[in-house]
Amino acid sequence: MTAKKSKTENIELMISDDEKYMLAALGESRKALEENEVPIGCIIVGGDSVIARGHNLTQTLNDPTAHAEMQAITAAAAYLGGKYLDRCTLYVTVEPCPMCAAALNWAQIGKIVYGCRDPKRGFSLFKPSLLHPKTEVVSGILDGECEKLMKEFFAKKRKAKTIRKKNK
């Protein structure tokens, strides 16, 4: 547990390590948002340290595989000097897609913590699980904040599309 002072009240609130690290992943998702990317961010923790960060770069790189998780997996493997992340935890704002889940399987990630579900494209829609059998999964950490960022992003996209249609 880590103590964090609230800005609105001068009291100390206790937040879990999962919440602390999910806040860091949310920071990465805001970077994606600033780049007009789908606001998904992630970090990978090894021991007690953040060893890798990533956010969506699919538009920037014109690469459909440039998801936040893929960026972070590559960075973590380079940092550790090996492809297995079995002693690491991935924190991601949105449930990983099947492609990322399969990559996390190959990396043998120890634990995945995600914020909000992806009811249309999340890995949990597929049975049997796409993850490594030893991977632990925790969901719903700061899910309201994670989901809000996604909903606001897509609402803005839909509104811009409607305005473009009206101006034609």
Side-chain angles (χ1 to χ4, degrees), residues 23 49 74 108 111 134 141 146 154:
L23 287 170
S49 301
T74 300
Q108 297 182 14
K111 182 178 177 182
K134 292 183 180 178
I141 304 297
C146 297
F154 285 110

Side-chain angles (χ1 to χ4, degrees), residues 3-142:
K4 180 181 176 186
K5 288 202 176 195
S6 169
K7 292 180 181 179
T8 57
E9 303 172 8
N10 199 16
I11 61 172
E12 285 192 12
L13 301 174
M14 298 301 288
I15 64 170
S16 70
D17 285 343
D18 283 349
E19 290 170 326
K20 175 181 84 169
Y21 290 125
M22 188 59 72
L23 287 170
L26 276 163
E28 287 297 313
S29 68
R30 288 184 187 96
K31 289 179 185 178
L33 187 62
E34 289 170 10
E35 297 173 28
N36 202 31
E37 295 275 359
V38 175
I40 298 175
C42 101
I43 63 166
I44 295 179
V45 174
D48 292 330
S49 301
V50 176
I51 63 169
R53 298 174 176 275
H55 58 274
N56 273 5
L57 291 171
T58 59
Q59 300 298 323
T60 303
L61 299 177
N62 197 28
D63 178 357
T65 69
H67 290 195
E69 299 93 327
M70 302 298 266
Q71 304 300 312
I73 291 167
T74 300
Y79 177 86
L80 294 173
K83 63 183 180 179
Y84 296 118
L85 306 177
D86 55 315
R87 295 184 180 161
C88 298
T89 300
L90 177 131
Y91 291 86
V92 62
T93 55
V94 177
E95 177 184 4
C97 73
M99 174 186 70
C100 293
L104 291 162
N105 181 335
W106 285 109
Q108 297 182 14
I109 192 81
K111 182 178 177 182
I112 297 171
V113 179
Y114 67 86
C116 63
R117 287 190 63 243
D118 184 344
K120 293 182 180 176
R121 297 184 180 181
F123 76 88
S124 64
L125 297 172
F126 297 87
K127 301 292 180 210
S129 178
L130 298 171
L131 299 175
H132 190 275
K134 292 183 180 178
T135 299
E136 179 186 348
V137 178
V138 176
S139 63
I141 304 297
L142 302 179

